[in-house]
Amino acid sequence: MGEAMQATRIIRVVLAAGLLAGVGVAQNLHVAAASTGDPDRGALFVSPRGAPTNSGEACATARYKTIQSAVNAAPKWATVIVCKGTYTEDVVVSSPLTLKGRDAKIKGTATTPFLCDQLGPTGPGVAPCLAGVTIRSSHVSIEGFAVTGAIGEGILATGTLKGGSITDVSIKDNWVVGNNVGGIPPSPNSPYPQCAANGQIPGDCGEGIHLMGVAHSVVAGNHVSSNEGGVLLTDEFGPTHGNLIEDNTITGNPFDCGVTAPGHNPFALDASGNPQPLVAGVYSNVIRGNRITDNGLLGEGAGVLFANAGPGTASYNNLVEDNYIAGNELSGVTMHAHTLPAGMFEDLNGNRIIDNVIGRNNVGSPVVPGDPLDGPPAQDFVTTGILVFSGTVPVHVTISDNRIFDDQYGVWLGINGNVTVSRNDNSFHHVAKHFFTFS
């Protein structure tokens, strides 16, 4: 763990500049594209029948047969259009680019020569890029693909140990199904290093879509199902903040949460517990307008989870708004803060749960019957809409204007008075206990 901490300190130097770089260039690009009147003008086309002798002006005359060959050939800010067909490859995008699918399927396979930064149980290093699509540059857009069968994530957007977070990534209108097969079920022998548990990080290793050190980006309009979990936001390589997760259908991911937003980086707080937002943390993200159902039923999975991996980590000031959340193995919205020794800190404060429709959750399974939390006596094995747990760390949250129905507990809070709530205008229907405080 000492090596991981030392490597992560690199972020302190490079991140402040990296978060702001390239904004003016991106704006100029949008203006130039609008002025042509033809969004496909100058695009590179990919087709299963592509050939280098073709003119390259449309799908019927594509010059490229694989997506990666077109991505490698594309200049910065170019558009690559992928025509109808199945492409058996892992794709790595390392410069600003727009990638558009036209009835195109990416079937992941571990053939890419590219290496990606990893933080496995032995600390920082590199390993083969194993996502169906890996985005490791700012200003990248991917839309209109079916992505399936990858050992790692379906779509991964990732910062780097050296460069910190990336920004302005758009992942829209994709069908991301049956990925992260290296982590289903989670295994210490996975070919994907991050699938191995590391301390209190329980093998959060990918899922369908993963933002890992990503800021000011959008994940919208995607269908995410039958992966280990749905959408994952983490901060190994720099802060993950200011992102919008909106209008996605996230359902039937059997081993983990619908949306998971855990703090992993131990440098998100200083020694006194103060946030270090230029270094690390998962904060100020908006999870809005999604349908999040039936996740974690063969393992452990909330509808939406905020949690921390241990001392120095932070997941704070995030917003969960206007979602429909039901049928998940853990509570609809779950927040877990650990029991820490005196003088150690983590931050789960300021998260807001507002204006959601939350049905029957914490439904349990024969594998894990409800939420064991930190063990007895603080356990919740009955249906619950929202759960906020902290063993020793003070946590303040906002829970307002939600409609919660068909649960034994509407909101479960505990323990030892560590959790305080601003609550207003929640409505409860067929709920035995609206607010339950464990003490």
Side-chain angles (χ1 to χ4, degrees), residues 257-293:
C257 305
V259 179
T260 314
H264 283 175
N265 193 315
F267 295 105
L269 305 177
D270 66 15
S272 300
N274 300 306
Q276 302 297 298
L278 292 181
V279 178
V282 178
Y283 60 90
S284 300
N285 300 287
V286 175
I287 301 165
R288 174 186 291 146
N290 304 282
R291 183 176 180 86
I292 305 171
T293 58

Side-chain angles (χ1 to χ4, degrees), residues 360-410:
R360 185 179 178 89
N361 289 280
N362 205 39
V363 298
S365 71
V367 181
V368 182
D371 196 333
L373 303 170
D374 272 8
Q379 297 172 297
D380 179 15
F381 292 151
V382 301
T383 54
T384 303
I386 299 169
L387 180 145
V388 186
F389 172 86
S390 178
T392 55
V393 179
V395 174
H396 182 81
V397 300
T398 297
I399 301 173
S400 296
D401 299 294
N402 301 284
R403 180 178 182 268
I404 302 174
F405 63 94
D406 292 345
D407 286 300
Q408 181 72 19
Y409 296 144

